[in-house]
Amino acid sequence: MSTTADPLAALAALPGVAESVDSVRKAVDRVYGHRVMRRRSNEVSSEAGLRSARGSAALSGADWALEEVRRRSDFSGEGQSRTVGAALRLSAEAGQLLSVWRQSPLRVLARLHLVADGGGSDHDLVGRPRLSGEAVDEPLLELPLPDAEEVAGRLDGLTRLLLAQTQAPALVTAAVVHGELLALRPFVSCNGLVARAAERVALVASGLDPKAVCPAEVGHAELGRADYVAALEGYVTGTPEGVGGWIVHCGRAVELGARESTAVCEALQRGAA
């Protein structure tokens, strides 16, 4: 990736990526073209946020029914309840960080981790990349864990890519953000939740999904954990096929999220939601 002036844009030429980018654009356009979006887009955005949180929590081991997530108000417990609460907090926070993202992605990642952790870890461990010797609590991902020095270097490289004037499609940028954070697991906890929230921020900040109505987390959950992990394993190899496959997988997730919100629009139009 370092052999070109715009390494993110170069990824758009990988097998299947251009077709995925085009398919995603059409799916997003269908949602934004729905007549309900003209007058009730805030409702669609709110529902998409709830569903994105449910999907992200499911991928982190808390696969609750949507109505249970909607009904509950207390997420102070441990285990799955805490995971769902973290996902909901991240979904609410993501939209507040767009201007900061464009200036300092690392500050946004630190904030996302602070919000997700919610006091579950030692205060000194929250909101910063892990140091050498610090353990990572991410039991559902079994990929080799990069050491702290590699994490710091790759986070710096990711930041430079995001701040550069790239011509890469939004899908490519968001998929790389998501994949890098999952591969690195830079924090001591909540890395999956943070990675998916960061993908959401990147998609919104790019202008592809400015109203946050195409929740990729919904699609990732629908495609299933096994396919999610398999696609991530491909990304980690760094091969053209692996990286391209991950981007295409993320594209399919966005399409499914767009389809979900189109269904929400239809329900609102019928008066069923």
Side-chain angles (χ1 to χ4, degrees), residues 36-246:
V36 166
M37 286 293 292
R38 284 183 234 139
R39 48 197 169 81
R40 303 179 71 177
S41 63
N42 288 342
E43 293 174 67
V44 181
S45 295
S46 177
E47 186 64 21
L50 181 71
R51 294 175 187 227
S52 74
R54 194 218 74 82
S56 189
L59 288 166
S60 286
D63 192 1
W64 289 15
L66 178 63
E67 291 311 312
E68 176 68 7
V69 178
R70 194 192 306 280
R71 180 187 67 81
R72 287 281 289 270
S73 58
D74 181 8
F75 299 95
S76 59
E78 295 300 320
Q80 292 190 10
S81 177
R82 189 175 190 87
T83 298
V84 175
L88 285 166
R89 292 193 301 273
L90 283 171
S91 184
E93 185 75 11
Q96 311 303 314
L97 300 171
L98 300 180
S99 61
V100 182
W101 178 260
R102 297 184 182 101
Q103 299 172 11
S104 178
L106 280 181
R107 282 179 57 199
V108 171
L109 296 179
R111 175 62 184 170
L112 290 175
H113 184 240
L114 180 67
V115 168
D117 186 82
S121 301
D122 187 301
H123 177 75
D124 293 337
L125 303 177
V126 178
R128 62 156 176 80
R130 56 187 168 84
L131 303 177
S132 180
E134 291 177 346
V136 174
D137 181 16
E138 201 70 41
L140 298 179
L141 282 179
E142 299 179 355
L143 296 170
L145 190 67
D147 62 29
E149 184 176 355
E150 181 178 351
V151 168
R154 286 174 64 176
L155 282 178
D156 180 67
L158 179 62
T159 298
R160 291 174 184 273
L161 288 176
L162 294 173
L163 294 178
Q165 295 297 313
T166 181
Q167 297 300 309
L171 171 63
V172 171
T173 301
V176 168
V177 168
H178 187 170
E180 278 295 287
L181 293 176
L182 279 179
L184 295 176
R185 279 145 290 162
F187 302 111
V188 296
S189 63
C190 304
N191 287 287
L193 294 170
V194 168
R196 291 184 288 275
E199 179 187 44
R200 183 175 175 83
V201 172
L203 289 169
V204 174
S206 70
L208 175 67
D209 181 21
K211 295 183 183 294
V213 295
C214 301
E217 301 94 328
V218 169
H220 287 303
E222 185 173 336
L223 291 168
R225 165 163 288 280
D227 284 357
Y228 183 68
V229 173
L232 177 63
E233 289 173 345
Y235 176 84
V236 170
T237 66
T239 64
E241 295 78 12
V243 175
W246 169 252

